[in-house]
């Protein structure tokens, strides 16, 4: 343990992850809602994947994109929470240097993928409402597969420089990460070199990639709302708006905590550290829990399949 805490080293074999600094005495209590959120996220997203796979009528672009989102949610939450819970429950704070960089990459990569999938879902809703007659000819299975591949490649390539930059920095101050997982900025701050390249690149990814995604989603839903307002009857407008409300909720649940966490971590120097860490965990854990709930309750086809599933089990 003394080796890992030494202050004179350039290539640490392990990092020490503290959990939530300042709230160590409450780790056990914090682990209860964290564990419940993770269990709901795992159960809900696997349920979505199972229902879409088993029901042929759900083999449509909207539900394919929903399955992609469920997979990214499972990867993001599983990349962080098991290690966080091991810190809370067993005080297992050590993490291998390479494992730390891998965790950092997976978190950022699949977060970018999730953002891209939400853009794809907004495009699907735009085509379904504004070009309803051409929806099946525009969003064919090959087109959906191409969009999915583009989202995956974008997430992998955009984030790829981050772990390589982090690996080449010398870490001569400390190997203690004041966080519950290997957050990118928390790791870079440990380096005793000029890390402006990493900081500028991270900001560029945040504002260019995420900013463009928010822009495209906003444009899509502006057109969708214009189309809804032009519908002839109030009932038709309400029914059409309900089909998009679940996606809007998913977009807000993902974007608001993400932007708040990223910006407060970079610019909120007066914000307490434990609040930074809690917000970073909420950003990664709450959307994977909310997404299947929002779609399960807000999408009639999935809601009907859930009722049918539980009714058959009860019978």
């Amino acid at each position: 343990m003394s080796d890992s805490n030494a202050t004179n080293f350039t290539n640490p074999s392990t990092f020490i992850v503290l959990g939530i600094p300042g709230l160590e005495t409450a780790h056990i209590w914090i682990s209860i809602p964290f564990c419940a959120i993770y269990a709901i996220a795992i159960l809900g997203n696997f349920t979505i994947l199972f229902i879409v796979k088993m029901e042929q009528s759900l083999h449509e672009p909207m539900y394919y994109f929903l399955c992609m989102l469920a997979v990214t949610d499972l990867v993001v939450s599983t990349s962080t929470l098991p290690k966080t819970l091991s810190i809370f429950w067993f005080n297992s704070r050590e993490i291998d240097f390479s494992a730390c960089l891998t965790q950092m990459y997976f978190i950022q990569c699949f977060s970018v993928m999730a953002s891209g999938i939400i853009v794809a879902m907004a495009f699907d809703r735009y085509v379904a409402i504004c070009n309803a007659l051409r929806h099946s000819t525009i969003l064919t299975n090959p087109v959906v597969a191409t969009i999915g591949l583009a989202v995956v490649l974008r997430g992998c390539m955009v984030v790829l420089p981050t772990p390589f930059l982090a690996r080449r920095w010398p870490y001569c101050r400390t190997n203690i990460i004041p966080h519950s997982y290997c957050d990118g900025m928390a790791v870079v701050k440990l380096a005793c070199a000029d890390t402006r390249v990493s900081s500028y690149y991270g900001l560029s990814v945040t504002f260019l990639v995420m900013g463009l995604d928010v822009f495209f989603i906003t444009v899509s839903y502006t057109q969708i709302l214009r189309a809804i307002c032009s519908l002839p009857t109030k009932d038709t407008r309400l029914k059409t708006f309900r089909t998009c409300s679940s996606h809007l909720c998913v977009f807000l649940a993902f974007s608001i905590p993400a932007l708040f966490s990223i910006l407060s971590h970079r610019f909120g120097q007066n914000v307490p550290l434990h609040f930074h860490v809690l917000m970073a965990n909420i950003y990664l854990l709450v959307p994977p829990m909310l997404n299947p709930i929002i779609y399960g309750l807000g999408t009639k086809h999935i809601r009907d399949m859930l009722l049918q599933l539980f009714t058959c089990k009860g019978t």
Side-chain angles (χ1 to χ4, degrees), residues 65 68 120 139-154:
F65 291 135
M68 295 178 199
L139 283 171
T140 60
N141 285 343
V143 171
V144 172
T146 302
I147 293 173
L149 180 61
V151 167
V152 171
L153 289 177
R154 186 188 73 155

Side-chain angles (χ1 to χ4, degrees), residues 222-271:
T222 300
Q223 297 299 317
I224 288 170
L225 290 174
R226 287 179 60 189
I228 289 174
C229 291
S230 65
L231 293 174
T233 64
K234 182 179 179 181
D235 289 341
T236 307
R237 290 195 295 269
L238 287 174
K239 184 178 179 181
T240 306
F241 182 75
R242 286 194 199 102
T243 64
C244 301
S245 60
S246 56
H247 181 258
L248 279 172
C249 291
V250 167
F251 167 58
L252 293 174
F254 173 82
S255 61
I256 292 175
L259 288 173
F260 185 84
S261 175
I262 293 168
L263 294 177
S264 67
H265 193 76
R266 293 178 184 274
F267 304 113
Q269 286 80 10
N270 296 324
V271 178

Side-chain angles (χ1 to χ4, degrees), residues 44 85 90 113 142 184 198 237 282:
L85 291 177
F90 310 113
M113 285 186 200
S198 289
R237 290 195 295 269
I282 289 172

Side-chain angles (χ1 to χ4, degrees), residues 200-221:
Y200 292 154
Y201 186 77
L203 281 174
S204 298
V205 170
T206 300
F207 286 108
L208 292 179
V209 176
M210 304 295 229
L212 282 174
D213 287 352
V214 170
F215 171 75
F216 288 134
I217 291 169
T218 303
V219 169
S220 296
Y221 272 92

Side-chain angles (χ1 to χ4, degrees), residues 36-226:
I37 289 171
Y38 183 56
I40 294 169
I42 294 293
L43 179 62
N45 284 293
F46 271 118
T47 301
I48 293 289
L49 292 171
F50 175 77
I51 288 175
V52 174
K53 182 180 185 299
M54 297 302 295
E55 180 55 41
Q56 291 291 326
S57 65
L58 299 182
H59 291 184
E60 298 177 357
M62 174 183 173
Y63 300 103
Y64 289 146
F65 291 135
L66 179 57
C67 287
M68 295 178 199
L69 184 63
V71 171
T72 61
D73 285 342
L74 288 169
V75 174
V76 168
S77 56
T78 303
S79 296
T80 58
L81 201 64
K83 179 59 182 177
T84 300
L85 291 177
S86 73
I87 297 170
F88 291 167
W89 291 342
F90 310 113
N91 203 30
S92 175
R93 298 183 175 186
E94 288 194 5
I95 183 170
D96 184 76
F97 180 71
S98 297
C100 183
L101 296 186
T102 302
Q103 184 188 57
M104 182 176 69
Y105 175 76
F106 267 74
I107 292 168
Q108 296 179 357
C109 174
F110 280 86
S111 295
V112 173
M113 285 186 200
S115 179
I117 292 167
I118 293 174
V119 174
M121 296 171 80
F123 176 67
D124 170 71
R125 291 299 85 202
Y126 165 75
V127 176
I129 292 172
C130 299
N131 294 279
L133 298 178
R134 299 179 57 202
H135 182 261
S136 59
T137 58
I138 293 174
L139 283 171
T140 60
N141 285 343
V143 171
V144 172
T146 302
I147 293 173
L149 180 61
V151 167
V152 171
L153 289 177
R154 186 188 73 155
C156 293
M157 298 306 294
V158 164
V159 181
L160 191 59
T162 304
F164 284 102
L165 288 171
R167 181 176 286 277
R168 61 187 291 266
W169 304 130
Y171 297 89
C172 54
R173 295 195 184 106
T174 181
N175 65 338
I176 297 175
I177 301 175
H179 213 288
S180 60
Y181 58 84
C182 290
D183 177 71
M185 283 302 298
V187 172
V188 169
K189 285 180 179 179
L190 301 183
C192 54
D194 187 355
T195 59
R196 284 180 294 180
V197 174
S198 289
S199 298
Y200 292 154
Y201 186 77
L203 281 174
S204 298
V205 170
T206 300
F207 286 108
L208 292 179
V209 176
M210 304 295 229
L212 282 174
D213 287 352
V214 170
F215 171 75
F216 288 134
I217 291 169
T218 303
V219 169
S220 296
Y221 272 92
T222 300
Q223 297 299 317
I224 288 170
L225 290 174
R226 287 179 60 189

